[in-house]
Amino acid sequence: RMAMQRGSAHGYRRTVQQERSYRSERVGQDPRHEAEIGERYSEGLHGRELHRLRDLYGGHVCMALPQLCQAAQHTDDRRRLQVPMMPPSPGMEEDEDVDGDGDVDAADESADHIYRSLPRFWVQYDHYTMANYPDVVSRPRVQLLAAHSLAGPWDKLYDKVGDDESFYPPQPVEMPAPKDFMDVDEEQKRSMEVVSANKLTISPTSCFGKRGPMYVVACAVNQSSYDDGSQWKNTKGNNRFQPGQKVMPPPFNDRCIAVAGRCGHACEPPGDRTPMPHCLPNGYINISSLVGDLPIKYNRVTPVFMFVYVLLFGFAVKIIMLCPGIFAPYRHCAYYDPELTESLKYILVVGVTGGGDEGKGTMIRNTIGMVSGLPPACRCRFIVCNNEEGHRLEMLTCWEKFCKVIGAMPNPGGTSYEDNLREFMAMWCEETKMMRLDSVGAKVKQLDAKILDRLCGKTTLAKKKKENGWAAMGQALAPLEAAIGVLEQDLGTDYNKFQPMTPHRDYIRDWVPPDPKSTALRMHFTSRAKPKEDPRNIMVQHVAVGTWYYKVPPNATPKDWLRLRQDCHEMVYAQNDDDDINAKVPLRSSHGKAGGLNFVDNYITIVNDRPENSYPNNDQNEAPSLYAIADARHQFQPDFFISCIPCFFQENGDLNRRVGFTQAPQHYPEYQDKFDYLDNNNAQFFRLNAMIRNCCGGVSSCGTNGMWQLANRDNTTIWQRRLKRVRDRDSRLRTEQIEREQFHTSCKIEDTASSLDRVLVGEYSHFVNRKLSYGMSKSPEGFLGAQQRWVEGAITLCLQWVTQNADAHGQAKKNGPLLWCVIFAFIGFVYALIRLVTMEYTSSVLVSAGAIKETTYNDWVRKPLAPVIEWIFDTLMTIRGGHSPNSYTYEVYEDMTLQFVVWMGTCSLCFLLLWIFTNMCKACQRFIVFPNEMKWWGRLVISFDNLTYWVWFWTSFFWIGFNVYLATTPSTFHFNNIGMMSFMLAATILNYALIIANSMRFSIMESVDANEIAFLSMDNIWRANQLFFMVGPIQGFSVFTGTKNFLSYLLYGQDIGGWAGGDLTQVSIAIVKYWTTTLIISAIGCWVYLFASNPTPTEYQSRRPGCIIFTFIAMDVLHPCVYLWTVSNKFSAEDAKKMTCVQKLTSVGWWKSCLATAILNETLTNIFRYVAPAYNFMLPILVFYNATFGVSGGFTLVAVGAGH
């Protein structure tokens, strides 16, 4: 029996080793842990601790910790007492190592022994069927008997504790019962009930909570949620649930892993208790009232879709605005050299004056600047032309007296005349550049004495005598002093009293210096005919009833042009002119600024073709010319031309015929940035957007301060034919003859239209970011009228090109389809963005189209990216501390990442294909006219932006309406606020970093070249945000007026190139005044409604962000609103002193003065200009505390100023 027993023991050890191997593979138990437990057992781990381990491992301690059982078995074998002095069994050797304590040496462990006790064993009872009747114990009973032989006697090894119904397991015989023994009867043993480990009895001295129905709910949450501070709000610094804290209503299974509730009546007498529909008769809350189905939370609601679509549109427009910045600007000649002018036929600068505030003083100041720009040692003619559109005789007289001042410059001989002229004009320009329109404009009845001295040149001459030694010239200055006196008398007498010239006559004057060889300067005065027209007739561009025209014989030459114009007639109704031999040409085909510029161009072309103006070098006679434009209120500085002329030449000094024009910024020195309430300087455009566009040569002309390169043309004729706008009586479209046009006359923005022509033929521009011209602003509110005119012109020009009715010529008209390429590319880009956000796909559109096989795509894209995406996902989950209720699964993350990668890859592939195709066109540019460089595409994108920016006027209304909706209607959006905060913060930082980096980039370049800085300030960014919300109504109104103008142009041939500035300004001011006032009052109303509607805490948290964001918008437009309401107020401090308190309180002027003093002051302006950009950075932080801020303030990511 002993041999069999030992064999079983060894067999059991082999089983334990097998179990240990199994457990290590399946469970991953650390063997070092097992060794530690075994060692502890050998050092004294006995019965109770072993029982505890068995309970810990569910009774399978040997399977879980085989080393412990091996050590226990070995120790039990040694501890079982052997019979002392007993002879060995037959066939066995005597054990010499048996001592009195029964221990056996390890060396003799393999010998047979006789023990007094049984070894450790395990009894398992199988195939027991539980009886299905009540009076049966819950466990089967097994009796273990032991004997020294099969003959007996048999004794029980274990016995029960207590009676038959005890809970305790059997104990070894003769072992005393445990001290904590508790006897339980059979009924208690079979029953199941909740035994509370802790019980809390509340005995309040007053009512617990409000009187009436009371529900008490217990919610069990896991430890991670309980310790997560983000799960508990308003806990006053603690992460735990606080007494009195408000919670979300049922169902509770969205946050609780277990929930139960009791209900009852608090402080209510039995006869007057309120019904409790959710309370069961036993005092428990109905479980269906505590838990319920949890619907999946989606953001697929209309407000979110609108929000996302507008964000995508704004992002696409911002890409168009910023993408030209990826290129490097074109290089050009760095310095002016007189030799450069040998490549030019002439340099023409035109000063355009009209009515309104543009009188004699304005013209003189403008002409001083143009003459002061005479380039040193200029080797081509430098022509200054004053084009008077007002047709006023006094303007011609004043111009002639100014020319006498120029001709009276001292000329001792040689080149000293030009040197003296340039020195005198430079100082004269310095004396007059800071003049303002309110001191020299047409509304001034009499010039101030000091202003008069500076304007006529008297102060300049005095300084030249004192500072530059001109006093030594003596009598040589007498003619100059006399000429200045004559000019002074003209300016000081009847300053702004004008007499109109004969309306239908052209007035032209020329000035040549006394010694034509002493200087390249030539001066001209032009005032084209301005006949009176019957207001009953439509103002058209073709010959029709009510228009004036002249006849051109078939053999007419340009020399006959002015003479033919003198013989003009009015087309009278019912008096038909049947002359079929001579062509009828409208006398004034364009009533706008562009018509005057074309008139000057034609006249100067004729003048320079005269024999006396021919150059010895025939190449220069056929060379291109430069045409600069200086509006009357702008004064060129002496370095204007020497700064702009090098831009038309390559670095080696050769003329670059691909440069279409240059543009310098407009600058109004009387308005500092922080007091430029309506952004009259348009600073963000000139200091940021224009510099970004300059990277690809795509700066558009802004009219004044621009200089154009005009190719030499065939001057055998000055007339050209075009298709008539309207049909004749026989319903046929015929051609008509008009005067040659260089600048567009079919819309109000001739500068943008002419720029587009240059872009379509592949020419580019240069932006000279220097203050080369000082302007006199009409008034800041006049800028609003310009905004309306620009939008109307953009709408008209866009519709003209879309309907193929644009007034373009030659190759520009043939390349019109290039604009459609850009339009379709933009539509495709927007569609791709919407598809990326709103659709689910994991393959490229090329796979859907069959261009790439699915297997190829998986091998090239999915498989290589899978490890990377998984690593990124794991990293993000590690950073976030694991999954949270807002987390998404890996499959969702993988799909989103693949969608983005596919989208980026598709866009990159399209860009690569475009690059390859463009370079192929570059190799074949002799045979085809198509973009041959990527910068050309960049310029086309800019032109597309110029034509279509008005399409997005509604976005300002959307963001305002969206925030009003959020402020008045409770809304719920489901997204991770930390992710949204991170995205908005990163986008805001990148946006401002891009703005600042680009501005610094060009400012540093200009500082190196010219030691001049034009930096974009926070004021400019703030003003641009103001314009985004301020001019939305103007742009919306202009959409209707611009469409109306286009239809009039298309159907009736109406001349829409002119405008009435005063009318536009007054309409714009009225619109902005009432619009901004409405915004401010609405912001106040939102707050009043928020508190008056008594919202729940949840509704309050939902609606408050909309009120805050709307308040910031109202703060942005506060300055313009107050300025427009108070700018015309004439109330002064002296008036206030004469009034009593009652009179002041009833005086509108006094209230306007107080409002302007309180709002339009430097202190508040300084606060606003930093608070406004600051909230763009504060907004992402607020998203962390309230996710609704991320939706209500999303416009800050894409908002741009009016006209960009």
Side-chain angles (χ1 to χ4, degrees), residues 77-91:
D77 289 346
R78 296 168 62 93
R79 189 179 60 213
R80 288 161 49 211
L81 298 179
Q82 302 177 12
V83 179
M85 303 303 297
M86 184 175 180
S89 300

Side-chain angles (χ1 to χ4, degrees), residues 917-942:
F917 182 73
T918 302
N919 281 274
M920 291 175 60
C921 293
K922 187 175 183 178
C924 305
Q925 59 183 340
R926 287 189 176 183
F927 310 100
I928 59 175
V929 180
F930 203 76
N932 52 26
E933 60 174 351
M934 295 304 293
K935 290 182 180 180
W936 192 343
W937 287 112
R939 296 192 291 275
L940 288 170
V941 169
I942 293 172

Side-chain angles (χ1 to χ4, degrees), residues 318 684 980-993 995-996 1017-1026 1028-1029 1108-1109 1112-1113 1115-1116 1168-1183 1189-1190 1192-1201:
K318 205 153 193 175
Q684 179 159 337
M980 187 68 172
M981 179 195 70
S982 304
F983 168 72
M984 293 188 67
L985 187 61
T988 302
I989 292 175
L990 289 175
N991 183 41
Y992 276 88
I995 291 175
I996 295 174
S1017 64
M1018 282 296 176
D1019 302 277
N1020 309 137
I1021 300 174
W1022 174 34
R1023 300 303 181 192
N1025 289 336
Q1026 286 181 345
F1028 178 73
F1029 295 107
I1108 294 176
I1109 298 301
F1112 278 119
I1113 294 174
M1115 290 174 59
D1116 275 343
F1168 275 25
R1169 67 173 178 155
Y1170 288 109
V1171 168
Y1175 86 79
N1176 290 335
F1177 289 96
M1178 292 168 54
L1179 191 59
I1181 308 301
L1182 295 175
V1183 174
F1189 278 106
S1192 59
F1195 71 89
T1196 59
L1197 303 178
V1198 296
V1200 291

Side-chain angles (χ1 to χ4, degrees), residues 558-698:
K559 296 179 181 180
D560 304 324
W561 174 55
L562 293 177
R563 178 181 58 80
L564 293 174
R565 283 180 60 89
Q566 300 300 317
D567 185 17
C568 56
H569 308 278
E570 181 182 7
M571 177 70 72
V572 181
Y573 179 70
Q575 295 182 11
N576 189 26
D577 188 345
D578 296 328
D579 188 353
D580 296 331
I581 299 176
N582 300 320
K584 302 179 185 66
V585 179
L587 186 65
R588 194 177 178 92
S589 60
S590 173
H591 297 74
K593 173 184 173 182
L597 296 177
N598 289 327
F599 182 85
V600 173
D601 175 54
N602 291 330
Y603 174 69
I604 297 300
T605 300
I606 296 173
V607 169
N608 281 274
D609 281 344
R610 294 171 181 170
E612 63 270 20
N613 292 324
S614 177
Y615 295 100
N617 183 4
N618 190 55
D619 291 340
Q620 192 170 4
N621 291 323
E622 298 178 357
S625 56
L626 300 182
Y627 190 127
I629 303 172
D631 286 354
R633 294 178 292 105
H634 295 265
Q635 184 188 65
F636 285 2
Q637 298 304 293
D639 54 349
F640 180 91
F641 288 96
I642 63 174
S643 299
C644 295
I645 290 175
C647 296
F648 292 93
F649 293 84
Q650 300 176 6
E651 293 181 284
N652 59 2
D654 294 338
L655 181 66
N656 189 349
R657 297 177 184 266
R658 290 190 58 203
V659 179
F661 58 91
T662 62
Q663 180 64 49
Q666 300 175 11
H667 175 61
Y668 300 96
E670 64 261 40
Y671 292 108
Q672 300 180 29
D673 286 343
K674 59 183 176 181
F675 297 126
D676 189 7
Y677 300 115
L678 302 179
D679 196 23
N680 201 64
N681 278 304
N682 204 6
Q684 179 159 337
F685 174 80
F686 286 114
R687 301 182 192 177
L688 176 65
N689 296 15
M691 293 186 293
I692 293 176
R693 295 180 172 192
N694 189 56
C695 293
C696 65

Side-chain angles (χ1 to χ4, degrees), residues 120-182:
R120 183 183 301 276
F121 59 89
W122 184 349
V123 177
Q124 180 173 342
Y125 187 31
D126 296 328
H127 307 296
Y128 176 78
T129 303
M130 181 70 74
N132 190 15
Y133 53 87
D135 295 331
V136 66
V137 295
S138 59
R139 298 181 182 179
R141 297 292 180 86
V142 177
Q143 293 291 345
L144 299 182
L145 303 177
H148 291 283
S149 66
L150 296 177
W154 293 88
D155 299 320
K156 290 193 297 184
L157 294 179
Y158 296 90
D159 202 356
K160 66 179 184 293
V161 179
D163 58 15
D164 291 339
E165 313 304 332
S166 173
F167 275 119
Y168 282 89
Q171 297 287 340
V173 178
E174 300 178 354
M175 177 177 288
K179 296 181 180 180
D180 56 352
F181 169 73
M182 180 176 62

Side-chain angles (χ1 to χ4, degrees), residues 298-319:
Y298 291 106
N299 284 320
R300 297 180 179 274
V301 293
T302 301
V304 173
F305 274 103
M306 295 173 65
F307 167 77
V308 170
Y309 288 149
V310 175
L311 276 183
L312 293 180
F313 290 146
F315 174 74
V317 173
K318 205 153 193 175
I319 288 293

